[in-house]
Amino acid sequence: MNRSTLISLSILVSIAAAGVAVSAQDKYTVQVPNGLGFSEFRGYEDWPVIAISQSGGRIAVIVGNPVMIDAFREGVPGNGKSFPDGAKMAKIHWNSKKQEAYPGQPTVPGTQHDAGFMVKDSKRFADSGGWGWAEFYYDAASDTFRPATAADRPPQENDAKCGFACHSAVQNRDYVFTEYGKR
């Protein structure tokens, strides 16, 4: 190849690479219609762990912002108090897989399945126990998130109250299932 062909090819490759980078989803723009958006939980990837769980072939880590962690450390909800406004949780699910090459063949996170969020805002969500919820399913093939819908399992209504019916079972725990693990 001559020099001008190499330069042209190099420019085309650069343009194509830039197009892929530009077209990648910014997850912080995704929002549940009439509900919460990823942007309200920016930085959740670095929040401290509240607990982990495993259910239905999925592994989850539940993390909390500093307001949530402080409340748990003060004994909420077991001390009879409610979580304060501004408390936030994120629950990230992965499909589980066996790590065959490791001793004991532990079950570890595989591909991500979804991310769910809760925020306490007693004014904004007065009619759902003071909490707002959102669930976003992850598509590994396209590396994108989408709001959960009524067609998903479990079904999710497209609003910030999508978790209220399920979480009403723990109304006496301020609508929070997760227990803060002793450290």
Side-chain angles (χ1 to χ4, degrees), residues 59-151:
I59 295 173
V61 63
I62 302 97
V63 297
N65 72 348
V67 175
M68 190 75 179
I69 296 296
D70 288 347
F72 270 124
R73 287 180 177 156
E74 291 171 10
V76 175
N79 63 6
K81 295 183 179 178
S82 295
F83 289 95
D85 281 359
K88 296 179 181 182
M89 296 174 66
K91 187 173 188 179
I92 302 102
H93 282 108
W94 291 271
N95 296 307
S96 61
K97 68 176 185 177
K98 287 275 187 201
Q99 192 57 281
E100 302 291 336
Y102 292 3
Q105 300 177 337
T107 301
V108 298
T111 57
Q112 187 171 355
H113 184 270
D114 62 75
F117 301 110
M118 286 177 68
V119 60
K120 182 74 176 264
D121 186 331
S122 57
K123 290 182 180 85
R124 186 174 170 198
F125 305 113
D127 58 348
S128 58
W131 289 95
W133 289 269
E135 186 77 22
F136 299 93
Y137 281 88
Y138 178 71
D139 178 42
S142 63
D143 191 25
T144 59
F145 286 90
R146 66 166 177 79
T149 69

Side-chain angles (χ1 to χ4, degrees):
M1 284 188 205
N2 65 33
R3 183 182 166 136
S4 67
T5 303
L6 285 174
I7 292 172
S8 296
L9 187 56
S10 177
I11 291 170
L12 287 174
V13 169
S14 296
I15 291 170
V20 169
V22 169
S23 67
Q25 180 190 46
D26 176 2
K27 67 184 176 187
Y28 289 109
T29 63
V30 182
Q31 180 175 340
V32 172
N34 304 314
L36 301 174
F38 254 93
S39 62
E40 296 182 62
F41 297 86
R42 189 173 297 275
Y44 76 94
E45 302 92 342
D46 298 321
W47 291 350
V49 172
I50 297 169
I52 57 171
S53 67
Q54 184 175 3
S55 178
R58 293 193 185 88
I59 295 173
V61 63
I62 302 97
V63 297
N65 72 348
V67 175
M68 190 75 179
I69 296 296
D70 288 347
F72 270 124
R73 287 180 177 156
E74 291 171 10
V76 175
N79 63 6
K81 295 183 179 178
S82 295
F83 289 95
D85 281 359
K88 296 179 181 182
M89 296 174 66
K91 187 173 188 179
I92 302 102
H93 282 108
W94 291 271
N95 296 307
S96 61
K97 68 176 185 177
K98 287 275 187 201
Q99 192 57 281
E100 302 291 336
Y102 292 3
Q105 300 177 337
T107 301
V108 298
T111 57
Q112 187 171 355
H113 184 270
D114 62 75
F117 301 110
M118 286 177 68
V119 60
K120 182 74 176 264
D121 186 331
S122 57
K123 290 182 180 85
R124 186 174 170 198
F125 305 113
D127 58 348
S128 58
W131 289 95
W133 289 269
E135 186 77 22
F136 299 93
Y137 281 88
Y138 178 71
D139 178 42
S142 63
D143 191 25
T144 59
F145 286 90
R146 66 166 177 79
T149 69
D152 290 313
R153 295 286 172 245
Q156 300 289 317
E157 299 301 323
N158 276 323
D159 61 28
K161 298 174 197 115
C162 65
F164 185 58
C166 184
H167 284 253
S168 290
V170 286
Q171 180 178 358
N172 63 335
R173 293 185 41 81
D174 196 19
Y175 301 92
V176 174
F177 285 106
T178 304
E179 295 184 22
Y180 188 67
K182 182 165 174 48
R183 303 271 203 277

